[in-house]
Amino acid sequence: MSTEEHKRITIPAALAQVLGERGLPTVSYYELAVATWRLCKRTELNGVPLRAHKAHLDWAAFNRYHQLMLRNGILRPISGITGPPVYLLIGAAVTDAKVLACAADPFCYISHLSAMEFHGLTDRMPEQLYISSPAHGPWKGFADEQMQKDLGAEFDDYINARLPQLQRSRPEKLLGKPVHQVTSIHLGAFRHLKDQHIRVATRGRTFLDMLREPQLCGGINHVLDVFREHAQSSLRLILDELDQHGKPIEKVRAGWILEALCHIRDVRIDAWTAFAQRGGSRKLDASADYSADFSERWALSLNVPILINERT
């Protein structure tokens, strides 16, 4: 190797710099491929020439760089993830399973009891990490859109080079914590906290999830306790979320809880009485048996034992 060539930086070393400049502790297999694709079109990095390489990356070259980075410890596979691998970058230390989950699935977000913990709505420490992610069909649609955005006019060339595409990685157990994944046809309502490297359900959506799936939020009794303690301070967010995304039965359940349990009155809550279904068999807790204890205003069976005991 000539002295001039020795002064040049290798593609794996340059990739380590490029990935480090992203400010993220992790990189997915797909993200690694896109970063390599872009880098190979360059001749220098930060003023330092790159060693001779193919300008048009192909699978064989990418795989060679990938394996070199693994052998050199630049990439460390994250355990507990099935599907395409996700890596920790050299020098990165992650102690929060939420960060790893959001790195594994770019369209998931922290939800249910884990989101309740994040928002300070519960003092429970979830034994599982709860995440929400789109179902297979919508997920693939979001992935196709993301690849088009990432690659632009080079999308077809990238695909023809048979380089890794954005495919779903499933976090199953991260840092010793099992991951419970909830799927939906929708992307969901979440905030992207870039400084923490996570996405988490909004506070309003978290209250809606309590109504939809109380069994994933500590159980119906815990959900009612959380509404009692926090609904007043989060009222605008709850009302906005229910008005925009709540189903009729969810508005009915929320209406009774907010009025009867939290002693909150609001014209927007009054409007939800239009969704009360007279003569139906709607229940406050969808998973429990019907109870004769009944709200006439909301046409709702109050079938939660703790409420029955309180009212007798």
Side-chain angles (χ1 to χ4, degrees):
M1 182 183 300
S2 67
T3 302
E4 182 180 348
E5 184 68 10
H6 185 73
K7 293 178 180 179
R8 296 173 180 266
I9 188 172
T10 65
I11 292 295
L15 269 173
Q17 287 189 33
V18 168
L19 295 175
E21 290 168 359
R22 294 157 65 240
L24 299 172
T26 61
V27 64
S28 71
Y29 192 49
Y30 162 75
E31 290 169 333
L32 177 66
V34 171
T36 309
W37 171 267
R38 291 172 176 164
L39 184 64
C40 284
K41 295 184 178 299
R42 302 175 60 172
T43 58
E44 56 82 29
L45 179 65
N46 299 328
V48 180
L50 298 175
R51 284 197 187 168
H53 61 276
K54 291 181 178 180
H56 188 83
L57 184 68
D58 57 25
W59 164 255
F62 169 70
N63 189 53
R64 184 168 65 254
Y65 297 141
H66 174 220
Q67 294 302 320
L68 279 170
M69 296 180 79
L70 285 171
R71 285 200 297 270
N72 293 337
I74 298 172
L75 304 174
R76 289 180 291 143
I78 298 171
S79 62
I81 295 174
T82 60
V86 183
Y87 302 105
L88 278 176
L89 297 176
I90 187 170
V94 175
T95 58
D96 189 344
K98 295 191 291 295
V99 173
L100 301 183
C102 290
D105 183 345
F107 308 119
C108 84
Y109 60 93
I110 310 306
S111 63
H112 298 86
L113 190 59
S114 296
M116 293 165 66
E117 179 191 28
F118 177 87
H119 288 298
L121 299 174
T122 179
D123 57 4
R124 297 191 181 185
M125 303 292 288
E127 295 180 359
Q128 301 183 83
L129 175 63
Y130 293 90
I131 65 173
S132 291
S133 183
H136 175 73
W139 197 99
K140 189 176 185 308
F142 291 129
D144 290 341
E145 290 176 9
Q146 186 64 52
M147 287 192 293
Q148 291 279 0
K149 180 180 178 182
D150 292 339
L151 295 158
E154 297 178 346
F155 176 81
D156 289 338
D157 289 341
Y158 180 92
I159 298 300
N160 291 334
R162 298 185 178 180
L163 292 168
Q165 298 183 38
L166 180 52
Q167 296 178 316
R168 185 176 229 147
S169 299
R170 291 187 177 274
E172 295 185 347
K173 191 172 187 179
L174 301 171
L175 302 178
K177 179 171 285 193
V179 179
H180 184 109
Q181 181 170 300
V182 182
T183 57
S184 169
I185 61 172
H186 304 293
L187 186 57
F190 59 85
R191 295 167 53 204
H192 188 182
L193 306 176
K194 293 184 177 181
D195 58 329
Q196 299 183 45
H197 313 304
I198 63 171
R199 296 173 297 277
V200 62
T202 64
R203 196 176 182 93
R205 176 52 60 95
T206 301
F207 275 94
L208 178 54
D209 283 341
M210 289 185 227
L211 297 169
R212 286 180 171 172
E213 295 163 310
Q215 72 278 12
L216 302 181
C217 298
I220 186 64
N221 288 335
H222 185 56
V223 165
L224 296 180
D225 286 341
V226 171
F227 266 85
R228 277 188 176 112
E229 184 173 355
H230 297 284
Q232 182 66 66
S233 61
S234 301
L235 184 61
R236 182 183 61 80
L237 299 176
I238 295 171
L239 297 182
D240 287 350
E241 185 69 24
L242 266 293
D243 273 338
Q244 293 179 49
H245 303 292
K247 298 176 183 177
I249 182 57
E250 292 159 355
K251 292 176 180 177
V252 166
R253 288 174 179 146
W256 183 86
I257 292 170
L258 293 171
E259 279 192 351
L261 209 59
C262 305
H263 309 295
I264 296 172
R265 298 305 297 263
D266 190 282
V267 293
R268 295 169 71 181
I269 299 175
D270 289 335
W272 294 346
T273 58
F275 299 106
Q277 185 174 304
R278 308 299 170 184
S281 56
R282 287 176 164 178
K283 301 177 292 184
L284 179 59
D285 182 0
S287 65
D289 293 335
Y290 185 85
S291 168
D293 195 21
F294 194 77
S295 166
E296 292 291 342
R297 173 170 166 81
W298 294 100
L300 192 67
S301 170
L302 308 178
N303 63 335
V304 178
I306 191 171
L307 295 178
I308 296 172
N309 293 337
E310 287 178 0
R311 293 159 65 89
T312 58

